[in-house]
Every structure is written in C-alpha cells, then in structure tokens.
Amino acid sequence: MIRRPRRVLPALLTALVLLAVSVVVAVSAIQLALGETPWLSYDAVAGRLHGLTWSAREVAVAGGVAVAIGVLLFLAAVVPGRARTAALDDRTAVSVRGLRNAVRLAAQVDGVESAVVKANRRRVKTVVRTRRAVVGGLGDTVRAAVEDRVGQFALARPPQVVVRVKTGRGTP
C-alpha cells in the first residue's frame, strides 16, 4: 500500500478561478434582471469577441494560456507524487513522517547534541551534531541505534541508513 499526496493545490486553484468567473456572471445577470448597469456588459463582451478573428494575436495568446493550464493540470493529475508511506507488508504501511520522528529520537545517543533526519521509502539520512572534538565511534553508535529502530518497524524493503557526524567546537 503506497499512499500518495492529494492534489489539493491544483484543485483549489481551479475551483477558485471557476468560482470567481461564476460570481462575476451571476452578479452581472442579477444586475441585468434588476435593471441596473452590470459590472460586465454582455454587449461589450459580445462586440469585442465578434470583432476578433481566429488569426488575431489575442486569440492565439488565450489559446496558448488555456493549453498551458490544461497541460499543467493534466500533469498534476497523472504524475505520481512522493510516497507518504513505507510498506510494512501488502496491506499495512507506516507514514514516512512517523518513521523520521522515531529515527530522530533513536539517534539521540550519548554525545549527540542534535539530529536531523531525512527519510523516504529508500533511504534514511541522519546528520548528527556533537560538541565533542573527538568523535571516534559516535557515527557507528548512531548507525547501530538508527538501524535497530528501523529494524523494529519490520519494513517490507528496509531503507539504506546513512549517518553523518558533524562536529562543533567544544571539549572532548
């Protein structure tokens, strides 16, 4: 089971544009029904469009913009997003965010000041900072702790564990 992100932003932008167009048309129709001057004059729009030809630059630009928006929306619908889960087996999964948080806690071994973890389905990259001047064995200790924690999840495909130790100024 691989969960993919929802396509909220393209759907929201499309809905907002359609809502704005609908509001302008509805307000203009209501104003016409009440006998007032509409925001958007039908006669002005119809006259402007009637004066255009298929070879006019405005028509080509509008067509190009419509095609570009259509291609972007099509790609947003078809191209898969980044997976938000890592499979435990065929029916269950763990969120990548949960895996990342668990690994960050596991990386906080003795001597580690802070840990930054980037996780996806294939790799768990951990960067730890320490104030120690001599870091002999700290990377191995962190790697063992992280691999043990990742192993507790029993993932279908265990990710590669990468550990990097950064030192700061301080006393050993």
Side-chain angles (χ1 to χ4, degrees), residues 72-140:
L72 288 175
L73 289 174
F74 178 76
L75 289 175
V78 173
V79 175
R82 291 181 16 209
R84 299 184 324 169
T85 59
L88 297 173
D89 57 30
D90 290 340
R91 294 184 175 204
T92 58
V94 64
S95 71
V96 174
R97 181 185 298 172
L99 178 65
R100 183 181 65 229
N101 291 338
V103 168
R104 185 179 331 116
L105 289 174
Q108 296 287 339
V109 298
D110 186 34
V112 172
E113 184 178 312
S114 67
V116 177
V117 176
K118 293 182 181 179
N120 59 35
R121 293 174 41 211
R122 287 175 268 151
R123 181 182 299 162
V124 174
K125 184 178 179 182
T126 307
V127 178
V128 294
R129 291 192 177 274
T130 183
R131 291 185 185 224
R132 294 180 177 176
V134 178
V135 293
L138 184 61
D140 295 332

